[in-house]
Amino acid sequence: MIEKFREWYDDRLAYAKKWKEDTGGKVVGYLCTYVPEEIFYAANILPVRILGDHKPQSVTEPHLFAMYCPFCRDVLAQGLKGHYDFLDGIVIAQSCLHIRQSFYSWQKHRPRDFHYVLPMPQGVQNPESVPYLAEEYVKFKKSVETWIGHELSKEDLVRGIEVVNRSRRLLKDVYELRKADHPPVTGLEAMSMVVSSQVIDKNEHNAILDQFLRNGVKNRLQERDPKSRLMIIGSEDDDMQFLDMVEERGSTIVCDDHCTGSRYFWDEVELGDDPILSLAKRYVERTPCPSKDWPERRRFDRILKFAKEYRVDGAIIVQQKFCDPHEIDKVALLDMLEQNNIPTLCLEFDVTVPLGPMRIRVDAFLETLSGDELF
């Protein structure tokens, strides 16, 4: 059953096309985890996160500066090549300049029926952020209603929130298992579960994940030696080949802090009388990405808590090349990890990752963690 999550991730475009054919519904692509999927589920629209393809491309140079991050170039390349022409709409929430330019270029050259830039606040620690975002969500909801031709009721919104919240709870159950001495789920498998939940109908994903958790998963992999317990920190880090290599070299990735991992799903919407206000509160107060984690770096407390609870031996910071928010954040992050005696390896990723050189660096890092004397 666990192979199903990887299959969904690998065949995510085929899945979305078939979902559209089978249901007659609309499919929307989104470019950042600050987009509230709950409103799309309320409207019975399938939201699909557009992830990296991790393949060489040569079509984005006329549209993006060469010093824009590889993720925004990878995403735009797929749009320009027509891989997502089945989409009915495309949405972005404000996060950084690079990915926003990808959105505008995509919409200009491969326009969709529905497109929307959601003005997500950068200064989420300002007290005005929640009421501001709630007002923006009202406008966004109205725009979706105009597009689909009918209003969304309070009950629709509650239903959408409950579907996404259930996904969050199930994924947290998976992560809880990873605290065990012998985690029954590898880091690669956990990653497959999280990223597939971003591209598959959550109603279907929830059912399979719930079944997986009920079928004696705790007894899996008990003979496997986890060796070094690692944490991955970064942004869009769904390079499966890299994760597979890291674990194959003698480690287990037991937790993470990145937007294709825990940062996507960790915080639930706490439903109050006003679903829109509840949604705004969740997205303002969720674990922030570095572009919004200021003036106080609140994310670091979560990282340190994870490191202790999952008993990590070391951390790997995976930074997308030219990603300014993460480059600025990394200095303070390294200081914090060093002060807490957490050995750290820093790696920089491009669209494709040269596994050979990376393997040498990972081997050296794991060797230092093992404590073996060289001489």
Short mmCIF file of all heavy atoms in Angstrom, two decimals, residues 178 228-234 246 251-258 262 299-308 310-318 333 336-337 342-345 365 369:
data_model
loop_
_atom_site.label_atom_id
_atom_site.label_comp_id
_atom_site.label_asym_id
_atom_site.label_seq_id
_atom_site.Cartn_x
_atom_site.Cartn_y
_atom_site.Cartn_z
N ARG A 178 7.61 8.27 13.42
CA ARG A 178 9.02 8.43 13.09
C ARG A 178 9.89 8.74 14.31
O ARG A 178 11.10 8.80 14.22
CB ARG A 178 9.19 9.51 12.01
CG ARG A 178 8.40 9.20 10.75
CD ARG A 178 8.35 10.36 9.81
NE ARG A 178 9.62 10.60 9.14
CZ ARG A 178 9.86 11.67 8.39
NH1 ARG A 178 8.93 12.60 8.25
NH2 ARG A 178 11.03 11.82 7.80
N SER A 228 22.23 6.82 11.55
CA SER A 228 22.14 8.23 11.95
C SER A 228 20.74 8.78 11.69
O SER A 228 20.20 8.63 10.59
CB SER A 228 23.18 9.05 11.21
OG SER A 228 24.49 8.65 11.56
N ARG A 229 20.21 9.49 12.70
CA ARG A 229 18.87 10.09 12.57
C ARG A 229 19.05 11.55 12.12
O ARG A 229 19.69 12.34 12.81
CB ARG A 229 18.13 10.03 13.91
CG ARG A 229 17.95 8.60 14.42
CD ARG A 229 17.42 8.61 15.85
NE ARG A 229 16.05 9.10 15.94
CZ ARG A 229 14.97 8.34 15.89
NH1 ARG A 229 15.10 7.02 15.73
NH2 ARG A 229 13.77 8.86 15.98
N LEU A 230 18.45 11.87 10.97
CA LEU A 230 18.68 13.19 10.37
C LEU A 230 17.41 14.01 10.26
O LEU A 230 16.30 13.49 10.18
CB LEU A 230 19.29 13.03 8.97
CG LEU A 230 20.64 12.32 8.87
CD1 LEU A 230 21.07 12.26 7.40
CD2 LEU A 230 21.70 13.02 9.71
N MET A 231 17.62 15.32 10.21
CA MET A 231 16.56 16.28 9.95
C MET A 231 16.91 17.05 8.69
O MET A 231 18.07 17.44 8.51
CB MET A 231 16.43 17.25 11.14
CG MET A 231 15.37 18.30 11.01
SD MET A 231 15.35 19.36 12.49
CE MET A 231 13.79 20.20 12.29
N ILE A 232 15.94 17.27 7.81
CA ILE A 232 16.16 18.06 6.60
C ILE A 232 15.49 19.42 6.79
O ILE A 232 14.34 19.51 7.21
CB ILE A 232 15.55 17.36 5.36
CG1 ILE A 232 16.21 16.00 5.11
CG2 ILE A 232 15.69 18.26 4.12
CD1 ILE A 232 17.59 16.07 4.54
N ILE A 233 16.22 20.48 6.48
CA ILE A 233 15.69 21.85 6.62
C ILE A 233 15.87 22.56 5.28
O ILE A 233 16.94 22.50 4.68
CB ILE A 233 16.44 22.63 7.72
CG1 ILE A 233 16.38 21.87 9.05
CG2 ILE A 233 15.86 24.03 7.88
CD1 ILE A 233 17.26 22.48 10.15
N GLY A 234 14.81 23.23 4.81
CA GLY A 234 14.94 23.94 3.55
C GLY A 234 13.62 24.45 3.03
O GLY A 234 12.74 24.84 3.82
N VAL A 246 20.67 9.62 0.45
CA VAL A 246 21.07 9.94 1.83
C VAL A 246 20.75 8.78 2.76
O VAL A 246 21.56 8.37 3.60
CB VAL A 246 20.37 11.22 2.31
CG1 VAL A 246 20.60 11.44 3.81
CG2 VAL A 246 20.88 12.43 1.54
N SER A 251 21.57 6.23 6.93
CA SER A 251 20.86 7.17 7.79
C SER A 251 19.36 6.98 7.63
O SER A 251 18.90 6.27 6.73
CB SER A 251 21.23 8.62 7.44
OG SER A 251 20.70 8.98 6.18
N THR A 252 18.62 7.65 8.51
CA THR A 252 17.16 7.73 8.37
C THR A 252 16.75 9.17 8.61
O THR A 252 17.12 9.75 9.65
CB THR A 252 16.45 6.81 9.38
OG1 THR A 252 16.85 5.46 9.16
CG2 THR A 252 14.93 6.92 9.23
N ILE A 253 16.03 9.73 7.68
CA ILE A 253 15.51 11.09 7.86
C ILE A 253 14.24 10.96 8.70
O ILE A 253 13.25 10.38 8.26
CB ILE A 253 15.23 11.75 6.50
CG1 ILE A 253 16.53 11.86 5.71
CG2 ILE A 253 14.59 13.12 6.69
CD1 ILE A 253 16.36 12.14 4.24
N VAL A 254 14.27 11.49 9.92
CA VAL A 254 13.17 11.27 10.86
C VAL A 254 12.24 12.48 10.98
O VAL A 254 11.14 12.35 11.53
CB VAL A 254 13.70 10.88 12.25
CG1 VAL A 254 14.35 9.50 12.20
CG2 VAL A 254 14.67 11.92 12.79
N CYS A 255 12.68 13.65 10.54
CA CYS A 255 11.81 14.82 10.60
C CYS A 255 12.34 15.89 9.65
O CYS A 255 13.41 15.73 9.06
CB CYS A 255 11.67 15.37 12.02
SG CYS A 255 13.22 15.98 12.73
N ASP A 256 11.60 16.97 9.52
CA ASP A 256 12.00 18.01 8.56
C ASP A 256 11.36 19.33 8.91
O ASP A 256 10.42 19.40 9.70
CB ASP A 256 11.58 17.60 7.14
CG ASP A 256 10.08 17.37 7.03
OD1 ASP A 256 9.33 18.35 7.14
OD2 ASP A 256 9.66 16.21 6.86
N ASP A 257 11.87 20.36 8.30
CA ASP A 257 11.22 21.67 8.30
C ASP A 257 11.39 22.25 6.91
O ASP A 257 12.41 22.87 6.60
CB ASP A 257 11.83 22.62 9.34
CG ASP A 257 11.19 24.00 9.27
OD1 ASP A 257 10.10 24.17 9.83
OD2 ASP A 257 11.76 24.88 8.61
N HIS A 258 10.43 21.99 6.03
CA HIS A 258 10.42 22.58 4.70
C HIS A 258 9.01 22.50 4.13
O HIS A 258 8.14 21.83 4.70
CB HIS A 258 11.44 21.92 3.76
CG HIS A 258 11.34 20.44 3.65
ND1 HIS A 258 10.33 19.81 2.99
CD2 HIS A 258 12.15 19.45 4.14
CE1 HIS A 258 10.52 18.50 3.05
NE2 HIS A 258 11.60 18.25 3.75
N SER A 262 6.81 19.10 6.78
CA SER A 262 5.95 19.47 7.92
C SER A 262 5.40 20.89 7.83
O SER A 262 4.30 21.16 8.32
CB SER A 262 6.75 19.31 9.22
OG SER A 262 7.80 20.25 9.29
N ARG A 299 10.28 30.41 13.83
CA ARG A 299 10.40 29.06 13.28
C ARG A 299 11.49 28.25 13.97
O ARG A 299 11.41 27.02 14.04
CB ARG A 299 10.71 29.21 11.79
CG ARG A 299 10.89 27.94 11.00
CD ARG A 299 10.97 28.25 9.51
NE ARG A 299 12.13 27.64 8.90
CZ ARG A 299 13.31 28.24 8.74
NH1 ARG A 299 13.48 29.48 9.15
NH2 ARG A 299 14.31 27.61 8.17
N PHE A 300 12.50 28.93 14.49
CA PHE A 300 13.62 28.22 15.08
C PHE A 300 13.21 27.39 16.30
O PHE A 300 13.77 26.33 16.57
CB PHE A 300 14.72 29.20 15.47
CG PHE A 300 15.50 29.75 14.30
CD1 PHE A 300 15.10 29.49 12.99
CD2 PHE A 300 16.63 30.53 14.50
CE1 PHE A 300 15.80 29.99 11.91
CE2 PHE A 300 17.36 31.03 13.42
CZ PHE A 300 16.92 30.75 12.13
N ASP A 301 12.25 27.90 17.08
CA ASP A 301 11.77 27.13 18.23
C ASP A 301 11.19 25.80 17.78
O ASP A 301 11.38 24.76 18.43
CB ASP A 301 10.72 27.93 19.01
CG ASP A 301 11.32 29.12 19.73
OD1 ASP A 301 12.54 29.11 19.95
OD2 ASP A 301 10.57 30.05 20.07
N ARG A 302 10.45 25.82 16.65
CA ARG A 302 9.86 24.58 16.12
C ARG A 302 10.96 23.62 15.67
O ARG A 302 10.90 22.41 15.93
CB ARG A 302 8.92 24.92 14.96
CG ARG A 302 8.33 23.71 14.22
CD ARG A 302 7.27 22.98 15.02
NE ARG A 302 6.16 23.85 15.34
CZ ARG A 302 5.10 24.06 14.56
NH1 ARG A 302 5.02 23.46 13.39
NH2 ARG A 302 4.13 24.85 14.94
N ILE A 303 11.97 24.15 14.99
CA ILE A 303 13.06 23.30 14.52
C ILE A 303 13.78 22.63 15.70
O ILE A 303 14.05 21.42 15.67
CB ILE A 303 14.06 24.14 13.68
CG1 ILE A 303 13.40 24.56 12.36
CG2 ILE A 303 15.34 23.36 13.41
CD1 ILE A 303 14.24 25.52 11.54
N LEU A 304 14.06 23.41 16.73
CA LEU A 304 14.75 22.86 17.90
C LEU A 304 13.88 21.83 18.62
O LEU A 304 14.37 20.79 19.08
CB LEU A 304 15.14 24.00 18.85
CG LEU A 304 16.03 23.61 20.02
CD1 LEU A 304 17.32 22.95 19.54
CD2 LEU A 304 16.37 24.85 20.87
N LYS A 305 12.60 22.11 18.71
CA LYS A 305 11.67 21.16 19.34
C LYS A 305 11.66 19.83 18.56
O LYS A 305 11.73 18.75 19.15
CB LYS A 305 10.27 21.78 19.35
CG LYS A 305 9.20 20.97 20.08
CD LYS A 305 7.93 21.82 20.20
CE LYS A 305 6.87 21.10 21.04
NZ LYS A 305 6.22 20.03 20.31
N PHE A 306 11.60 19.93 17.25
CA PHE A 306 11.64 18.71 16.42
C PHE A 306 12.95 17.96 16.65
O PHE A 306 12.96 16.73 16.80
CB PHE A 306 11.54 19.08 14.94
CG PHE A 306 10.13 19.26 14.44
CD1 PHE A 306 9.05 19.20 15.30
CD2 PHE A 306 9.88 19.48 13.10
CE1 PHE A 306 7.75 19.37 14.84
CE2 PHE A 306 8.59 19.64 12.63
CZ PHE A 306 7.53 19.59 13.49
N ALA A 307 14.05 18.70 16.65
CA ALA A 307 15.36 18.05 16.80
C ALA A 307 15.43 17.24 18.09
O ALA A 307 15.99 16.14 18.12
CB ALA A 307 16.46 19.10 16.77
N LYS A 308 14.84 17.77 19.17
CA LYS A 308 14.87 17.08 20.46
C LYS A 308 13.88 15.91 20.48
O LYS A 308 14.20 14.80 20.91
CB LYS A 308 14.56 18.07 21.58
CG LYS A 308 15.67 19.08 21.79
CD LYS A 308 15.30 20.09 22.88
CE LYS A 308 16.45 21.08 23.11
NZ LYS A 308 16.10 22.14 24.08
N TYR A 310 12.60 14.18 18.04
CA TYR A 310 12.92 13.09 17.11
C TYR A 310 14.35 12.58 17.31
O TYR A 310 14.80 11.73 16.58
CB TYR A 310 12.70 13.55 15.66
CG TYR A 310 11.24 13.72 15.31
CD1 TYR A 310 10.56 14.89 15.61
CD2 TYR A 310 10.52 12.69 14.69
CE1 TYR A 310 9.21 15.04 15.30
CE2 TYR A 310 9.18 12.83 14.37
CZ TYR A 310 8.53 14.02 14.68
OH TYR A 310 7.19 14.15 14.37
N ARG A 311 15.05 13.16 18.30
CA ARG A 311 16.40 12.73 18.69
C ARG A 311 17.35 12.68 17.49
O ARG A 311 17.96 11.66 17.20
CB ARG A 311 16.32 11.37 19.39
CG ARG A 311 15.55 11.41 20.71
CD ARG A 311 15.31 10.02 21.26
NE ARG A 311 14.30 9.32 20.51
CZ ARG A 311 14.41 8.07 20.11
NH1 ARG A 311 15.51 7.39 20.37
NH2 ARG A 311 13.45 7.48 19.43
N VAL A 312 17.44 13.81 16.80
CA VAL A 312 18.27 13.82 15.59
C VAL A 312 19.75 13.85 15.97
O VAL A 312 20.16 14.45 16.96
CB VAL A 312 17.92 15.02 14.68
CG1 VAL A 312 16.45 15.01 14.30
CG2 VAL A 312 18.31 16.34 15.30
N ASP A 313 20.54 13.18 15.15
CA ASP A 313 22.00 13.20 15.30
C ASP A 313 22.63 14.35 14.52
O ASP A 313 23.76 14.76 14.80
CB ASP A 313 22.60 11.88 14.81
CG ASP A 313 22.06 10.70 15.61
OD1 ASP A 313 22.12 10.74 16.85
OD2 ASP A 313 21.56 9.73 14.98
N GLY A 314 21.91 14.82 13.50
CA GLY A 314 22.44 15.89 12.68
C GLY A 314 21.37 16.42 11.74
O GLY A 314 20.29 15.84 11.61
N ALA A 315 21.69 17.56 11.12
CA ALA A 315 20.73 18.19 10.20
C ALA A 315 21.40 18.46 8.87
O ALA A 315 22.61 18.73 8.81
CB ALA A 315 20.21 19.49 10.80
N ILE A 316 20.61 18.38 7.79
CA ILE A 316 21.08 18.78 6.47
C ILE A 316 20.24 19.96 6.01
O ILE A 316 19.01 19.85 5.91
CB ILE A 316 20.98 17.63 5.45
CG1 ILE A 316 21.85 16.45 5.88
CG2 ILE A 316 21.40 18.12 4.06
CD1 ILE A 316 21.82 15.26 4.91
N ILE A 317 20.89 21.09 5.78
CA ILE A 317 20.20 22.26 5.22
C ILE A 317 20.29 22.17 3.71
O ILE A 317 21.39 22.15 3.15
CB ILE A 317 20.83 23.57 5.73
CG1 ILE A 317 20.65 23.69 7.25
CG2 ILE A 317 20.19 24.77 5.02
CD1 ILE A 317 21.32 24.93 7.84
N VAL A 318 19.14 22.08 3.06
CA VAL A 318 19.09 22.01 1.61
C VAL A 318 18.56 23.34 1.09
O VAL A 318 17.39 23.66 1.25
CB VAL A 318 18.17 20.86 1.15
CG1 VAL A 318 18.07 20.85 -0.37
CG2 VAL A 318 18.68 19.52 1.66
N LEU A 333 20.36 30.45 11.44
CA LEU A 333 19.98 29.05 11.65
C LEU A 333 21.19 28.20 12.03
O LEU A 333 21.13 27.38 12.97
CB LEU A 333 19.33 28.51 10.37
CG LEU A 333 18.93 27.03 10.36
CD1 LEU A 333 17.92 26.74 11.47
CD2 LEU A 333 18.35 26.64 9.00
N MET A 336 22.16 28.84 15.60
CA MET A 336 21.24 28.19 16.54
C MET A 336 21.54 26.68 16.63
O MET A 336 21.60 26.11 17.73
CB MET A 336 19.79 28.41 16.08
CG MET A 336 18.73 27.89 17.05
SD MET A 336 18.37 26.12 16.86
CE MET A 336 17.41 26.13 15.35
N LEU A 337 21.76 26.04 15.49
CA LEU A 337 22.03 24.60 15.50
C LEU A 337 23.36 24.31 16.19
O LEU A 337 23.47 23.35 16.96
CB LEU A 337 22.03 24.07 14.06
CG LEU A 337 20.68 24.10 13.34
CD1 LEU A 337 20.85 23.79 11.86
CD2 LEU A 337 19.70 23.12 13.98
N ILE A 342 24.04 20.55 17.36
CA ILE A 342 23.46 19.74 16.28
C ILE A 342 24.37 19.89 15.05
O ILE A 342 24.37 20.95 14.40
CB ILE A 342 22.03 20.20 15.95
CG1 ILE A 342 21.15 20.07 17.19
CG2 ILE A 342 21.46 19.38 14.79
CD1 ILE A 342 19.77 20.66 17.03
N PRO A 343 25.18 18.88 14.74
CA PRO A 343 26.04 18.95 13.55
C PRO A 343 25.20 19.17 12.29
O PRO A 343 24.11 18.60 12.16
CB PRO A 343 26.73 17.58 13.52
CG PRO A 343 26.57 17.04 14.90
CD PRO A 343 25.28 17.59 15.43
N THR A 344 25.74 19.98 11.39
CA THR A 344 24.94 20.38 10.22
C THR A 344 25.76 20.33 8.95
O THR A 344 26.92 20.74 8.93
CB THR A 344 24.38 21.80 10.41
OG1 THR A 344 23.67 21.87 11.65
CG2 THR A 344 23.43 22.18 9.29
N LEU A 345 25.12 19.84 7.89
CA LEU A 345 25.71 19.85 6.56
C LEU A 345 24.87 20.78 5.70
O LEU A 345 23.64 20.65 5.65
CB LEU A 345 25.69 18.43 5.95
CG LEU A 345 26.08 18.31 4.48
CD1 LEU A 345 27.55 18.68 4.26
CD2 LEU A 345 25.80 16.89 3.97
N PHE A 365 29.87 13.54 6.00
CA PHE A 365 29.06 14.02 7.12
C PHE A 365 28.61 12.87 8.01
O PHE A 365 28.72 12.93 9.24
CB PHE A 365 27.84 14.77 6.56
CG PHE A 365 26.92 15.33 7.61
CD1 PHE A 365 27.39 16.24 8.55
CD2 PHE A 365 25.59 14.95 7.67
CE1 PHE A 365 26.54 16.77 9.52
CE2 PHE A 365 24.73 15.46 8.64
CZ PHE A 365 25.21 16.37 9.56
N LEU A 369 29.31 11.86 12.08
CA LEU A 369 28.25 11.57 13.05
C LEU A 369 28.46 10.22 13.72
O LEU A 369 28.10 10.03 14.89
CB LEU A 369 26.87 11.57 12.37
CG LEU A 369 26.39 12.90 11.79
CD1 LEU A 369 25.00 12.74 11.20
CD2 LEU A 369 26.40 14.00 12.84
#
